[in-house]
Amino acid sequence: MVNADIEIETLAEFDQVVARGSLSGYRIQSVNLLERTFALLSADTSAAVFLGCAMEPDAAVKVRADGALVFPPVPDLPFNPYRGLLYTPEELFAGLPDGYEATPDALAYAWFQETKADGDVFSSMLRSVHDDAVSDALDEHLVGARVVGVMGGHAMSRGGTDYRGAAELGRALARSGLTVATGGGPGAMEAANLGAFLAPAPDEALEEALELLAKAPSFTPSVSDWARAAFAVRERWPAGGDSVGIPTWFYGHEPPNAFAGHIAKYFANATREDGLLARSTAGVVFLPGAAGTVQEIFDNGTPNYYGSRGEPAPMILVDRTHWTEHLPAWPLLQALARGRAMESRIALVDSVDEVPGVLASMS
């Protein structure tokens, strides 16, 4: 297993390491080295790996002669398959003033649509390398964090009471010291990330933010208007709190929300789903949702049932009527848990107000 300490992901890290004279054995990940030719020519680069690092031709010849592996940048891609860090909202939505269609997020989705079924092994390799790099960056970002997942439907409108409740939940969880992680999309996911974003702000900030967002209640018909309203909130409170969003280009019609400070966006939805739930070690809260949220309940319940991830993580379903009558997932989950270690780690509550207390009692 490679030690994360040998990964170099920024130019500052590169300069610190190369000052010691040797890059031998390091993995340099997506760092622009065009201005570091002298350093590359001078340093020992044996057994180093350069992933997507731009460098001058003479520097590339030298490091290869040292025995380094060089994976050059791939031209004309709307994403970087070798990236060493998670996405930010500003990165994914760059160019939004000209319309969402021009943003890196939209362009990556368009590329995915063109290549996902073309049978080209190179395209599928690029997607796999990208997703693995994102997973690595996500693990590094979450070291030491107590992560609570918040799941829920994408259709929840910004102007509704359910959206407000999900935002209040995200704020309460973040203020309790937990790192909020969501599926990174619109609706309930955005609301939870919004609450975490506003956790450092006064309580009244949420009311004002909801009024700003209500001007574009849904990502349909215009993703551009929806996203611009979110960035207006971010500009109003620039020192927002951090949380994580884990969306996917598989559901490209659902854009990522702009309130997660760090975004792990994947091409493979199965990798994204499993990774989100597996990293929610402090528990998962399931807000009302439809097929996707039901799937997540049992995707999370299965390892808890078998104990395949160790001690079962808490699972809290919110809205008794929804989960016992509309979509009766709770009775089945309860039946599965009976007599097993997970039985004391599942709960059904009526409202989001109960979640922090119940979660604390399970922890």
Side-chain angles (χ1 to χ4, degrees):
M1 179 176 178
V2 175
N3 190 316
D5 289 339
I6 68 171
E7 294 180 3
I8 297 174
E9 295 153 340
T10 67
L11 195 58
E13 290 177 329
F14 176 87
D15 290 340
Q16 289 174 2
V17 172
V18 83
R20 299 196 287 269
S22 178
L23 291 165
S24 180
Y26 278 87
R27 281 79 170 106
I28 303 91
Q29 202 169 342
S30 190
V31 180
N32 188 332
L33 300 175
L34 290 172
E35 302 297 325
R36 295 297 187 272
T37 300
F38 179 77
L40 291 169
L41 294 175
S42 304
D44 176 12
T45 57
S46 60
V49 179
F50 293 85
L51 297 163
C53 298
M55 61 180 77
E56 295 292 349
D58 52 344
V61 169
K62 183 267 182 186
V63 300
R64 285 192 177 99
D66 277 355
L69 289 176
V70 179
F71 294 80
V74 181
D76 303 321
L77 274 184
F79 64 94
N80 177 4
Y82 306 114
R83 61 180 306 111
L85 303 172
L86 296 177
Y87 291 100
T88 65
E90 292 82 0
E91 181 181 2
L92 286 174
F93 285 101
L96 182 63
D98 296 325
Y100 172 71
E101 295 75 14
T103 65
D105 186 67
L107 294 174
Y109 175 60
W111 177 89
F112 180 42
Q113 288 296 98
E114 292 172 2
T115 63
K116 66 181 181 180
D118 65 4
D120 184 355
V121 68
F122 185 56
S123 297
S124 61
M125 183 201 73
L126 291 173
R127 293 194 295 270
S128 297
V129 170
H130 169 274
D131 286 2
D132 191 67
V134 167
S135 289
D136 182 64
L138 182 58
D139 285 336
E140 292 175 3
H141 178 70
L142 293 177
V143 168
R146 296 170 58 229
V147 181
V148 59
V150 180
M151 313 296 159
H154 68 270
M156 188 181 288
S157 172
R158 283 171 168 174
T161 56
D162 288 343
Y163 186 96
R164 178 191 301 272
E168 291 172 346
L169 172 63
R171 183 176 65 181
L173 294 172
R175 286 178 174 176
S176 73
L178 294 166
T179 296
V180 173
T182 78
M189 297 170 281
E190 180 188 56
N193 287 130
L194 168 66
F197 178 81
L198 292 176
D203 286 355
E204 56 268 23
L206 179 58
E207 188 66 35
E208 185 178 343
L210 292 173
E211 290 180 6
L212 290 170
L213 293 172
K215 297 175 182 177
S218 173
F219 64 95
T220 58
S222 172
V223 174
S224 299
D225 291 345
W226 176 84
R228 287 172 185 142
F231 278 96
V233 171
R234 291 181 59 91
E235 291 169 9
R236 175 69 179 82
W237 293 277
D242 191 26
S243 64
V244 174
I246 307 181
T248 174
W249 280 294
F250 183 81
Y251 297 130
H253 62 287
E254 295 181 17
N257 78 73
F259 295 114
H262 291 84
I263 300 173
K265 189 152 191 179
Y266 289 88
F267 288 104
N269 185 50
T271 305
R272 167 252 192 173
E273 288 276 8
D274 185 68
L276 170 56
L277 294 167
R279 290 174 176 87
S280 298
T281 53
V284 185
V285 181
F286 298 92
L287 300 172
T293 310
V294 171
Q295 177 183 340
E296 289 163 344
I297 289 173
F298 294 103
D299 279 348
N300 196 52
T302 299
N304 282 348
Y305 178 88
Y306 288 111
S308 55
R309 294 179 184 150
E311 183 180 359
M315 298 177 64
I316 303 175
L317 278 61
V318 180
D319 191 328
R320 190 175 304 271
T321 299
H322 184 83
W323 294 121
T324 61
E325 297 179 20
H326 297 162
L327 293 173
W330 172 253
L332 179 53
L333 182 65
Q334 197 174 31
L336 282 171
R338 192 168 297 120
R340 304 188 77 88
M342 68 182 287
E343 186 171 17
S344 63
R345 311 283 282 177
I346 65 171
L348 176 66
V349 300
D350 291 309
S351 72
V352 294
D353 296 337
E354 301 171 69
V355 170
V358 172
L359 187 63
S361 71
M362 290 181 174
S363 304

